[in-house]
Amino acid sequence: VLITRIPPHGEVLPHIDTGWHAEYYSKFAVQLKGNKDQVFGFEDGTELRPCDGDLYTFDNSKTHFVKNLSNSDRMTLIICIRR
C-alpha cells in the first residue's frame, strides 16, 4: 500500500516501474483526492482523470506519468495485489 500526493501544478515524469514489486503485483488505485484537471496518462495517449472515490487498475510496465494542472493536491491510494 502506498499513498502518493502530487501538489498543485506538480508532475511525475514519464517512467516505467521496475523491480520485483512491478513484476509480481497488480496495481489498483483509489483516487482519494482528484479532479478533471489532473491527468494520469500513458505514452499511447490514453488518459485517466479520476475524481474522488474512483477506482482503477493500471499496467505499470507501460510508460506512464502524472500531471496535476489544478490548484489542488492529487492524492492516490495505490494497492498492490498478488496475481
Side-chain angles (χ1 to χ4, degrees), residues 17-54:
D17 297 330
T18 59
W20 67 269
H21 71 91
E23 298 166 4
Y24 189 72
Y25 292 99
S26 295
K27 303 286 178 129
F28 295 85
V30 178
Q31 201 62 45
L32 301 175
K33 190 171 182 184
N35 64 58
K36 297 299 180 188
D37 293 326
Q38 301 169 351
V39 177
F40 182 78
F42 295 88
E43 68 181 345
D44 69 359
T46 302
E47 289 185 352
L48 298 173
R49 294 176 182 256
C51 292
D52 300 359
D54 286 350

Side-chain angles (χ1 to χ4, degrees), residues 6 15 29 50 69-70 74 81 83:
I6 310 301
H15 68 283
L69 307 172
S70 77
R74 179 186 194 277
I81 299 176
R83 297 177 194 178

